[in-house]
Amino acid sequence: MLQDLLSVYKSKLSGQTVLRAQRNLSRGVSIQSGNVRGNSFSVGGGLSARVYDGGYWGIASDTTYDEKAIDGVLSSATRNAKLLSTKLGVKSPPLPVSRPGKFATLPNENDAEQRAVMDFTRALDAYIVKKYPKLAARTVSLQSEAVEKIVVTSDGADLYSILPRSMVYFSLCAPAPDGAVVEYIDYESGIGFIPECYPSPETLFGKIDKTYETLMKKCEGVFPDAGVREVIIDSNLGGMLAHEAIGHPTEADLVRAGSVAGANLGKTVASELVSITDFANTAYGEALPQNVLADDEGTAARDVKIIENGVLREFMHSRDTARFFGAEPTGNARAESYAAEPIVRMRNTAILPGKDKLEDMISSVDDGYFLVQTGNGSADLTSEFMFSVTMGYEIKKGKLGRAIRDTTVSGVAFDMLKTVTMVSDELRWLGGGSCGKSGQSMPVGMGGASVKCKITVGGR
Amino acid sequence: MKTKLMGVAEYALSELKKLGADGADVSVSYGCSDGLQADYGVMSLMQTSIGASISIRALVGGRRGNYAMNGIDGESVDLAVRSAIEAAEVAEPDEAEVIAEGFGDYDYELGPREGVPEKLYDRAQEFLDDCAREYPKIAVEKLGTSFNASHGVYANSNGSRYYGRGGSYRFYAGFAARDGDKVSPGSGFSYADYDLDKPALAREYGRRVLGDCVRQLDPAPMEGKFSGKLLLSPECFQSVLSMALSLGASDGPMIMDISPWKDKIGEVVASECLTVTCDPFDPRLISPPRMSDGHILKTQEVIKGGKLTSFMLSRYGALKTKLPRAKCSSCAIVRPGGRSVKDILADIDDGLLLNDFTGGSPAPNGDFSLVARHSFRIRRGEVGEAVNETMISGNIFDMMKNIVGISSETVDDGCLMPWAAFEGVTISGK
């Protein structure tokens, strides 16, 4: 457990100062066609001080974590901020208050031994080899990550947090009838360290079987017909849709940078069936992948109702963007590492469930696609977004047809979301995703219902 | 610093041996940086970072374990040593896990030892001023300048002792064009250099990206679908080439025996105008690696006149496949062609200027489906309007064989690549 050397400094912090110690733990084993290619554990940690002075920030960081280093980063950060404010003059008033308090997740020291992770991964690989010996290639990866931090601020906030998550990936390859080697990747994620998420390898054998069955269908798959198509986006992808299409354009730093969302606050930007929320830590009484009680500025985290019944309601804020927009900080300022600057990031972003049944949604499509698995995605200031689709099916006259090969879908969020005509009554959370922004990779939760909409599909 | 870092590495090697390691390699690094950042066009942040780290690869009975952490104090190093050994003890023996043969001592230094703080401010403010004057529709969201100094040692149990010191400046800018309610997609450029003596806008790359950004204020969705030609910017060509080399010539696909190029040494895998060399010694590169995988790098030809001459295998990959190890598998440089970009463009009747793309990774056989970004329609040899919601799809290995032009001009801001044109790619929109 990260030693608390910071609390004693809380009463000594002056001005608007945040002191943060953080360590990122990563453990993993990867077996590639029988060869152990990954067998590692790493700890990246250190501390940083961040000082705000007259509209300028001073940051200093060090990988050493002791009293001398704490004094050093406080001194350097204060000097950096003062250098700018002295040279350039005061440009902004103080930051808004951060709703300070004492926040703490439960400590968690349930990380697995490396031997157990290795044995577990070997058991998964052995199952695949024995049951599916004709695969062209296979990779099994078992990983856990945890971000542990202590944050104290001059406003009086005091946070201890550890957010572990575990992921298991299966990548299976098989030859298709057309001679191509086809790959299908599926994964599971859980909240907690490996022993908490996966009690035994046997609990994942069903997932392997499903991955193989899906691969076989994909081998027989066809390339989709490119163009604007009516699609059902499965709940498995719904979170990606919420994250990329709406989440990024409504991060207040990107709004300030010119995102089209800025001109649409209070306006109808989507079908009234669409509601999207960035949850701080729980939803519907359920613990979420990112349990953010307070952010890296010490702000108590609250849910952000981005879109309610199709109307754009609010943006996600740090203290700085809240000051700029005259809004309230929402607890979305998060940093990848001890040395990184906290910036506006999503926590657990979801498209909220509607009232439709998935089977009714599929049967309502005459000619389109059912998109069920994704790999990655991106979005920009115009709200144009994309995400890859690594598994899907044709829908013909309301029935699922042939599988489709890898493709990509794209759209302009504020146009596409107006085409939503059905939203399913389910909500599925994925916790294994990471989001890249400004050079920082951040663990995020994504949740989704299934939606019926029109979207641009790539293909041949 | 060299003495201190090497002392840590020697100590770790000694402790690893005591705990039963048959072989090991240890990397220890120390770095510090000073940086300045402007947000939304105004100076806003000054940052100082200090960091040290160690990473260990230990072999016990042919079994490999890795451990990496920040901190190089005695307690941290002892923890790293024990953890690497513990990891190795649970792995499977693998005869391809070996420590590289010793190369003795090797030292190198590149770049200045210390940065000039005033340059960080002056260049950043100059860029903001230049942009405001020459590109009034550009809103600079984020701008950063920094000086980064690093020291690194590598030592292994076969006697290699490597020390490298580097110092370089880094500049990056992220921006979008705005005009009333209209906004372009976010864009940006970055570069590294040993000094900051030239204005950022003296670089052709920066001016090209800024100009393209302004022209993306009025994008038009593509209509329909057709098979056309792509003209790739040097940066985009680098990304496409990296995908092909990764899928065709790197460790993973080769070891798993699924690379389409697995038996193609000496055979044609690309148009004859393509020659690719990995050259870490090209003087235009800033702070290139000199050592990787336990070996001092040497120049390596990969594709010559369209024929595959070498795979890009690590030592592990070479032993697994029983093929030669690559002397270098980074710093890929493409030999310029004989025609100007203008002449190549003139030959494109209907196609796309592709500056960037996003999307999933190509399939193992090279099939891809990607979304064009920062891209423009080409008609009758002229670059036209910006496009959005535009897809490209095809096969990366077919693309390599369908190169119809490589420019004589190259970009020297880090990627050392020419422009390249391809035919037979499906371009589709709404």
Side-chain angles (χ1 to χ4, degrees):
Chain A
M1 187 172 169
L2 190 57
Q3 188 183 1
D4 182 7
L5 302 178
L6 304 188
S7 292
V8 295
Y9 282 82
K10 196 162 62 172
S11 60
K12 302 177 190 171
L13 299 178
S14 59
Q16 294 197 296
T17 301
V18 177
L19 200 50
R20 173 164 51 96
Q22 180 170 332
R23 58 176 195 162
N24 295 22
L25 296 84
S26 175
R27 183 186 295 282
V29 168
S30 178
I31 301 179
Q32 194 177 68
S33 290
N35 299 306
V36 176
R37 297 306 298 127
N39 175 27
S40 63
F41 180 49
S42 67
V43 182
L47 82 148
S48 64
R50 185 173 183 238
V51 173
Y52 183 82
D53 183 345
Y56 304 94
W57 299 97
I59 298 182
S61 62
D62 197 330
T63 47
T64 304
Y65 180 42
D66 58 22
E67 289 179 7
K68 185 180 172 193
I70 295 168
D71 290 335
V73 297
L74 277 171
S75 169
S76 294
T78 303
R79 182 199 63 216
N80 286 344
K82 185 59 72 182
L83 271 173
L84 286 177
S85 63
T86 303
K87 182 178 175 74
L88 302 172
V90 172
K91 69 169 183 176
S92 301
L95 297 167
V97 292
S98 61
R99 300 191 304 281
K102 190 169 177 66
F103 313 94
T105 64
L106 292 174
N108 188 331
E109 297 185 320
N110 297 322
D111 195 5
E113 297 284 329
Q114 193 73 9
R115 179 180 296 279
V117 180
M118 178 66 74
D119 291 346
F120 197 115
T121 315
R122 277 198 196 112
L124 296 175
D125 189 56
Y127 177 81
I128 297 172
V129 174
K130 185 175 178 186
K131 192 157 182 186
Y132 306 111
K134 292 185 179 174
L135 287 169
R138 65 188 192 279
T139 301
V140 183
S141 298
L142 182 59
Q143 299 171 15
S144 67
E145 300 170 355
V147 179
E148 185 178 29
K149 63 183 67 171
I150 297 168
V151 178
V152 298
T153 77
S154 52
D155 294 339
D158 187 338
L159 166 72
Y160 169 77
S161 165
I162 181 165
L163 303 181
R165 64 177 186 167
S166 299
M167 292 82 70
V168 58
Y169 296 86
F170 303 106
S171 163
L172 305 182
C173 296
D178 63 2
V181 173
V182 174
E183 179 184 38
Y184 180 62
I185 301 172
D186 208 346
Y187 80 98
E188 285 273 351
S189 62
I191 304 170
F193 286 108
I194 290 168
E196 300 167 298
C197 298
Y198 309 117
S200 71
E202 289 77 14
T203 59
L204 290 165
F205 288 171
K207 182 74 176 180
I208 292 172
D209 293 338
K210 192 174 174 205
T211 304
Y212 178 81
E213 288 163 17
T214 307
L215 172 68
M216 291 298 104
K217 289 175 185 166
K218 190 173 176 180
C219 285
E220 303 286 339
V222 295
F223 289 107
D225 188 18
V228 176
R229 299 286 177 260
E230 192 160 57
V231 302
I232 306 294
I233 295 177
D234 185 56
S235 56
N236 214 26
L237 281 72
M240 179 73 87
L241 180 68
H243 180 99
E244 298 296 353
I246 289 299
H248 279 302
T250 56
E251 291 169 326
D253 54 347
L254 296 186
V255 174
R256 190 175 173 188
S259 159
V260 293
N264 284 289
L265 195 63
K267 295 181 183 174
T268 298
V269 296
S271 154
E272 65 178 11
L273 300 173
V274 175
S275 294
I276 292 175
T277 296
D278 182 57
F279 292 99
N281 40 60
T282 56
Y284 305 104
E286 183 185 349
L288 297 183
Q290 291 300 302
N291 180 21
V292 179
L293 302 176
D295 70 5
D296 292 344
E297 296 181 323
T299 300
R302 67 161 176 86
D303 299 344
V304 179
K305 294 179 179 177
I306 302 169
I307 293 179
E308 268 189 309
N309 302 322
V311 178
L312 183 60
R313 291 294 185 200
E314 62 176 330
F315 303 133
M316 292 166 276
H317 284 288
S318 64
R319 292 176 75 180
D320 191 42
T321 63
R323 178 193 56 75
F324 181 80
F325 286 104
E328 177 187 68
T330 52
N332 283 83
R334 305 170 68 202
E336 171 193 49
S337 69
Y338 70 94
E341 176 195 15
I343 56 175
V344 180
R345 307 305 299 255
M346 285 171 260
R347 291 93 39 116
N348 308 280
T349 316
I351 184 161
L352 306 188
K355 294 179 178 175
D356 297 298
K357 298 292 179 193
L358 179 58
E359 51 272 27
D360 295 338
M361 294 168 68
I362 292 170
S363 61
S364 72
V365 176
D366 186 56
D367 183 9
Y369 296 104
F370 180 39
L371 311 176
V372 300
Q373 185 62 283
T374 182
N376 64 340
S378 65
D380 68 34
L381 298 174
T382 66
S383 91
E384 183 177 354
F385 68 94
M386 61 71 52
F387 52 86
S388 64
V389 174
T390 58
M391 189 61 200
Y393 298 90
E394 294 176 327
I395 304 175
K396 300 289 184 189
K397 299 189 186 316
K399 304 282 184 192
L400 292 183
R402 297 174 296 181
I404 57 172
R405 295 271 180 94
D406 293 345
T407 187
T408 305
V409 297
S410 77
V412 174
F414 291 165
D415 296 336
M416 187 279 287
L417 287 174
K418 289 174 181 157
T419 72
V420 172
T421 52
M422 299 176 89
V423 180
S424 73
D425 59 358
E426 62 200 313
L427 176 57
R428 189 186 308 183
W429 285 98
L430 299 176
S434 292
C435 170
K437 179 181 171 186
S438 296
Q440 297 188 43
S441 178
M442 182 64 61
V444 290
M446 293 185 278
S450 300
V451 297
K452 178 183 172 184
C453 62
K454 287 184 177 172
I455 203 166
T456 306
V457 178
R460 296 285 175 92
Chain B
M1 186 56 67
K2 175 188 172 184
T3 305
K4 179 181 178 182
L5 299 184
M6 195 60 83
V8 171
E10 296 277 11
Y11 170 78
L13 280 174
S14 163
E15 293 300 300
L16 284 159
K17 189 173 181 182
K18 283 182 200 168
L19 290 177
D22 307 313
D25 43 21
V26 177
S27 298
V28 186
S29 66
Y30 173 84
C32 53
S33 70
D34 292 300
L36 193 62
Q37 181 174 298
D39 292 289
Y40 315 109
V42 180
M43 294 297 172
S44 61
L45 185 154
M46 184 177 282
Q47 184 161 13
T48 306
S49 302
I50 299 170
S53 65
I54 181 169
S55 69
I56 293 175
R57 190 173 71 106
L59 296 185
V60 178
R63 298 167 295 173
R64 172 177 61 88
N66 288 66
Y67 187 83
M69 70 181 298
N70 290 345
I72 56 172
D73 57 281
E75 195 178 329
S76 299
V77 174
D78 286 341
L79 174 62
V81 165
R82 284 197 310 275
S83 300
I85 292 286
E86 285 169 14
E89 286 175 343
V90 304
E92 294 280 352
D94 187 336
E95 61 188 17
E97 294 287 6
V98 297
I99 301 299
E101 58 271 24
F103 55 71
D105 293 344
Y106 187 99
D107 287 16
Y108 89 102
E109 298 198 27
L110 284 172
R113 288 179 173 272
E114 292 183 351
V116 180
E118 291 75 19
K119 285 186 180 179
L120 302 181
Y121 180 86
D122 292 346
R123 280 290 170 254
Q125 189 59 53
E126 174 187 64
F127 179 80
L128 293 172
D129 295 342
D130 289 350
C131 260
R133 188 176 61 253
E134 297 187 43
Y135 300 92
K137 291 181 179 173
I138 289 289
V140 180
E141 183 210 354
K142 227 175 239 315
L143 166 69
T145 51
S146 62
F147 180 78
N148 308 287
S150 65
H151 301 260
V153 303
Y154 165 86
N156 74 16
S157 52
N158 289 336
S160 297
R161 297 292 182 269
Y162 167 92
Y163 167 73
R165 185 199 61 75
S168 62
Y169 292 92
R170 184 165 179 265
F171 176 99
Y172 69 89
F175 42 79
R178 294 167 75 170
D179 189 6
D181 286 343
K182 292 189 293 187
V183 61
S184 74
S187 193
F189 74 99
S190 65
Y191 63 87
D193 211 336
Y194 293 130
D195 61 51
L196 279 181
D197 292 345
K198 284 193 299 186
L201 283 184
R203 293 171 182 265
E204 181 273 335
Y205 172 38
R207 284 196 175 274
R208 174 158 49 86
V209 175
L210 283 161
D212 283 351
C213 188
V214 175
R215 294 199 296 129
Q216 289 168 77
L217 278 167
D218 295 295
M222 281 271 307
E223 299 288 339
K225 175 174 72 173
F226 65 101
S227 176
K229 286 183 182 175
L230 294 181
L231 177 62
L232 270 57
S233 68
E235 302 77 27
C236 191
F237 183 28
Q238 184 177 46
S239 300
V240 167
L241 181 64
S242 295
M243 289 198 305
L245 295 174
S246 174
L247 280 176
S250 70
D251 272 10
M254 288 297 295
I255 293 171
M256 292 193 287
D257 202 27
I258 57 173
S259 163
W261 287 354
K262 63 183 180 183
D263 51 4
K264 301 286 190 199
I265 288 289
E267 294 189 24
V268 172
V269 296
S271 300
E272 65 178 12
C273 57
L274 183 67
T275 292
V276 183
T277 305
C278 293
D279 184 4
F281 299 98
D282 189 296
R284 294 169 296 177
L285 292 172
I286 304 299
S287 293
R290 287 285 187 266
M291 190 220 69
S292 177
D293 201 23
H295 298 276
I296 300 300
L297 297 179
K298 296 178 179 174
T299 301
Q300 173 80 62
E301 188 180 71
V302 182
I303 294 173
K304 184 177 183 182
K307 290 182 178 175
L308 185 68
T309 55
S310 167
F311 294 113
M312 301 173 81
L313 294 169
S314 69
R315 183 183 57 254
Y316 180 86
L319 288 169
K320 275 290 177 191
T321 58
K322 299 182 170 42
L323 291 165
R325 176 181 63 80
K327 296 170 194 160
C328 179
S329 56
S330 59
C331 307
I333 297 168
V334 169
R335 190 175 70 190
R339 303 173 65 205
S340 69
V341 182
K342 192 176 173 188
D343 287 346
I344 293 171
L345 177 64
D347 283 348
I348 300 178
D349 192 50
D350 197 2
L352 205 63
L353 166 58
L354 191 71
N355 280 318
D356 193 9
F357 57 81
T358 58
S361 302
N365 73 328
D367 287 341
F368 67 83
S369 173
L370 303 165
V371 178
R373 295 191 73 229
H374 309 305
S375 297
F376 298 86
R377 189 69 187 266
I378 299 173
R379 290 189 190 86
R380 292 177 291 283
E382 301 278 343
V383 176
E385 74 277 12
V387 296
N388 63 2
E389 294 190 76
T390 300
M391 310 284 199
I392 56 168
S393 57
N395 181 283
I396 199 83
F397 296 112
D398 291 345
M399 265 184 87
M400 291 297 112
K401 290 181 176 173
N402 292 330
I403 302 173
V404 292
I406 290 181
S407 73
S408 52
E409 304 97 327
T410 61
V411 166
D412 292 348
D413 282 332
C415 76
L416 310 187
M417 298 287 281
W419 302 70
F422 300 78
E423 64 182 1
V425 178
T426 301
I427 302 168
S428 63
K430 289 193 166 182

